[in-house]
C-alpha cells in the first residue's frame, strides 16, 4: 500500500484529519423538557464535545441523524420538507445558531441526506399519487400490477418487512418503497428529481454546512427492467469472500433472515447508474470549498462498496465498510476484514471507520460475552482511533453506554414493534445520552421518549469526566494522541503477523518519518509479540491498561490479557 499523504491544501481535507461524532438528535439533550432532544439542547452541549481545551472530548465534526420535518414513521428518515427543521427539534434559526456555535468551536457539521425515499406525506409524493397524469407522477416508481389478479410487479422485498410494492387504490398502480410503505422511493432516472435534490444540497451547503452522510446511497437507481431478485444464496462470481465467515453468528443470522428478506438484492440496489448520481453530487460538493460526503453503502462485497469512490475518485469522499462492525471477537477476523477493505480500496480512497451507529446494537454490548464488554470497548476505541481513515464515534460510546433492553411496550422503532421478540429493533442503541445519574440522566426533566439506561453512577459523563481511568478519559486521550501523531493521521496501514500470536491484532501505521505499531490482545492470556524485523528500542506511548508503565521496551513485547498498546517504533532500527 503506497503511503498516503495529505494534500497540500490542508483545509480542503479537514475531514481526513477529523474525528467525527454521530448525534442522534432525539436522544442527545432535551432543552424544553418534552422528552425529545432538540437543537437548543445540542448547542448547550457543544462545549462537552470540543471547547478548545483538553477538558473536552476533542472531536472535530458532528454527523447529525436527520432533524428535518418528518412524521417520524422511521424517526426522521422519512422527510416531508428537506429544507426545514422539524418543530420537535427547533427552527431554522436554531439550526443557524447551532452551525455558528459549532463552527466557533472548530466543529464541522455534516447532515444526513435521505433521498433514496421521501415521506409518503412529502408534497412531491402527494402530487405524484394524486393522478396518473400529474406532472410529478414519474418522480416516484409506479408500476401496474401483474396479470388479472394485479399482483406486485416483481418479487422485491423491503429491508424491513414484506413486499417493496404498495397498491394505490386511487390510481390503481403500485409504488415502490425499499423501506416502510410510508417511505416511497424516488425515481432517480427522472432529471427533475436530480435537480430538486441538487437544490436541497445547495440549500444546506450554501447555508454553511460542511457535508452530508448519504443514507442508503446504493439504493438510488433500480434495474430498468425490474427483474426479479434471485434467492439470497446466488451471488456473483469474483466476490472477494475471504472469510466472510468471520462474521458474528448474529450477523450471519441477520443476513439470512433479513437481507433484504431472503433474497439477494441484485436488481433493486447497487445498479451502475447510481454512480452517475454520485458524480453529480460530487460536482456540487466540489463547487464549494472544503465539503465532504460519507456514504452508507451496505454490502459485504468490499470491491463493490469501494466502487462508490468512483474510478477517478469522483464520487464519495469517504465510505464505511460495515462488515467491520459484524466481525467475531477474533483478532484474525478483524485483521482479515481490514485487509479486505484496504485491498479493495482504490488508490487515494479515504476510508471511514465505525463500530456503532443508530442501526446497530452498541458494540460494547455486541461483544459483551462473559461480561467482557467494558474491556473490549476500550480495545475497540483504540482500534477505531488508530486505523487508517476517519473514525466515527457514536454518541455515548465514549462513556461506555450500553444497549438498553426494552420491553415490547417501550419500543418505538417499527422494526422492533413488528418483529419482537425475534428482533427488538433499533431503540436499544438510541436511548438518551447519559450525562449524570439524576432521574433522567441529565437528558431531560421529564420522561424521555425512550427509557434511560442503567448504571448511571458509572456510565455517565459526570462519573467519568474526572476519572483518569474511565472510558471517557481513554477516548479523549486517544483523540489527542491521534492528532499529535502524523503516522496515525496520514500513514499507511499494514498488518503485522510475523512473530505475533493469532490472538493478537497488530498493525503498522507509517509515514516517512514515523513508524507506529498498534498491538491488541484479543485473548484472556498474556501474549508476546515479537515481530522479528523490529529490533532495537521502542517506546510504549499508550496502553488500555491503566497500570501499564509507558516505557522504553525491547521486543518481545508482552501484552496483558485484553490489553492494547500503541508503540512508537521510530527509534527502532
Ligand atoms: C438507513 C438508516 O441508517 C436507517 O436508520 C433508516 O431506517 C434507513 N436508512 C431508511 O432510511
Amino acid at each position: 500500500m503506497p503511503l498516503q499523504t495529505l494534500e497540500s491544501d490542508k483545509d480542503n481535507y479537514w475531514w481526513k484529519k477529523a474525528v467525527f461524532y454521530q448525534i442522534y438528535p432525539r436522544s442527545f439533550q432535551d432543552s424544553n423538557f418534552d422528552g425529545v432532544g432538540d437543537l437548543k439542547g445540542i448547542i448547550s452541549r457543544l462545549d462537552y464535545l470540543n471547547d478548545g481545551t483538553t477538558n473536552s472530548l476533542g472531536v472535530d465534526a458532528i454527523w447529525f441523524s436527520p432533524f428535518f420535518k418528518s412524521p417520524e414513521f422511521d424517526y426522521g428518515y422519512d422527510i416531508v420538507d428537506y429544507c426545514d427543521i422539524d418543530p420537535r427539534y427547533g427552527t431554522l434559526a436554531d439550526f443557524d445558531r447551532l452551525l455558528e456555535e459549532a463552527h466557533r468551536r472548530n466543529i464541522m457539521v455534516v447532515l444526513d441526506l435521505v433521498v433514496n425515499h421521501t415521506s409518503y406525506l412529502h408534497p412531491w409524493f402527494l402530487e405524484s399519487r394524486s393522478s396518473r397524469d400529474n406532472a410529478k407522477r414519474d418522480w416516484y416508481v409506479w408500476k401496474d400490477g401483474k396479470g388479472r389478479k394485479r399482483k406486485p410487479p416483481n418479487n422485491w422485498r423491503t429491508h424491513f418487512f414484506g413486499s417493496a410494492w404498495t397498491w394505490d387504490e386511487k390510481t390503481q398502480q403500485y409504488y415502490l418503497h425499499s423501506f416502510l410503505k410510508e417511505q416511497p422511493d424516488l425515481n432517480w432516472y427522472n432529471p427533475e428529481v436530480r435537480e430538486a435534490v441538487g437544490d436541497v444540497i445547495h440549500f444546506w451547503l450554501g447555508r454553511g454546512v460542511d457535508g452530508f452522510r448519504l443514507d442508503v446511497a446504493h439504493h438510488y437507481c433500480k434495474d430498468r427492467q425490474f427483474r426479479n431478485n434471485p434467492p439470497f444464496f446466488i451471488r456473483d462470481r469474483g466476490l472477494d469472500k475471504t472469510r466472510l465467515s468471520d462474521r458474528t453468528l448474529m450477523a450471519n443470522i441477520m443476513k439470512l433472515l433479513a437481507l433484504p428478506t431472503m433474497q439477494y438484492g441484485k436488481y433493486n440496489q447497487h445498479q451502475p447508474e447510481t454512480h452517475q448520481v454520485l458524480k453529480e453530487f460530487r460536482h456540487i460538493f466540489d463547487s464549494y470549498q472544503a465539503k465532504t460526503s460519507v456514504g452508507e453503502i451496505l454490502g459485504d462485497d468490499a470491491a463493490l462498496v469501494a466502487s462508490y469512490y468512483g474510478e477517478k475518485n469522483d464520487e464519495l469522499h469517504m465510505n464505511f465498510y460495515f462488515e467491520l462492525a459484524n466481525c467475531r471477537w477474533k483478532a484474525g477476523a478483524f485483521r482479515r476484514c481490514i485487509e479486505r477493505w484496504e485491498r479493495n480500496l482504490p488508490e487515494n480512497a479515504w476510508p471511514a471507520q465505525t463500530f456503532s451507529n443508530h442501526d446497530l446494537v452498541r458494540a460494547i454490548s455486541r461483544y459483551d460475552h462473559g461480561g467482557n464488554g467494558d474491556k473490549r470497548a476500550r480495545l475497540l476505541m483504540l482500534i477505531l482511533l488508530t486505523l487508517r481513515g476517519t473514525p466515527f464515534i457514536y454518541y455515548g460510546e465514549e462513556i461506555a453506554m450500553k444497549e438498553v433492553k426494552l420491553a415490547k411496550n417501550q419500543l418505538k422503532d417499527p422494526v422492533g414493534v413488528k418483529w419482537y421478540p425475534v428482533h427488538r429493533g433499533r431503540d436499544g442503541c438510541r436511548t438518551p445520552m447519559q450525562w449524570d445519574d439524576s432521574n433522567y440522566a441529565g437528558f431531560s426533566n421529564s420522561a424521555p421518549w425512550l427509557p434511560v439506561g442503567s448504571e448511571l453512577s458509572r456510565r455517565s459523563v459526570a462519573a467519568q469526566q474526572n476519572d483518569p481511568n474511565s472510558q471517557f478519559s481513554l477516548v479523549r486521550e486517544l483523540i489527542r494522541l491521534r492528532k499529535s501523531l502524523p503516522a496515525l493521521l496520514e500513514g499507511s496501514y499494514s498488518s503485522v503477523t510475523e512473530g505475533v500470536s493469532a490472538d493478537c491484532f497488530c498493525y503498522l501505521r507509517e509515514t516517512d518519518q514515523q513508524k507506529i505499531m498498534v498491538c491488541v490482545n484479543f485473548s484472556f492470556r498474556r501474549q508476546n509479540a515479537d515481530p522479528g524485523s523490529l529490533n532495537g528500542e521502542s517506546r510504549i506511548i499508550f496502553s488500555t491498561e491503566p497500570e501499564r508503565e509507558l516505557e522504553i521496551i525491547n521486543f518481545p513485547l508482552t501484552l496483558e490479557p485484553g490489553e492494547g498498546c500503541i508503540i512508537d517504533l521510530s527509534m527502532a532500527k
Side-chain angles (χ1 to χ4, degrees), residues 6-14 289:
L6 296 179
E7 283 76 349
S8 52
D9 183 358
K10 293 239 164 44
D11 288 347
N12 266 332
Y13 296 90
W14 58 268
Q289 276 275 302

Side-chain angles (χ1 to χ4, degrees), residues 74 77 114 117 160 179 183 213 215-216 296 358-359 426 430:
D74 189 16
Y77 285 90
V114 186
H117 44 268
F160 291 161
F179 295 87
Q183 295 169 296
R213 173 256 189 190
D215 188 66
V216 292
E296 184 202 31
H358 65 291
D359 292 328
R426 300 164 293 178
R430 298 175 177 180

Side-chain angles (χ1 to χ4, degrees), residues 22 24 63 65-66 74-78 112 114-117 159-160 178-180 183 213-219 296 298 322 357-359 413-415 426 430:
Q22 182 193 350
Y24 194 71
W63 150 32
S65 280
D74 189 16
Y75 291 96
Y77 285 90
D78 49 323
D112 217 318
V114 186
V115 292
N116 169 68
H117 44 268
H159 278 274
F160 291 161
S178 299
F179 295 87
L180 298 173
Q183 295 169 296
R213 173 256 189 190
L214 307 188
D215 188 66
V216 292
H218 57 293
H219 251 292
E296 184 202 31
L298 300 172
F322 288 102
N357 68 29
H358 65 291
D359 292 328
D413 176 23
V415 178
R426 300 164 293 178
R430 298 175 177 180

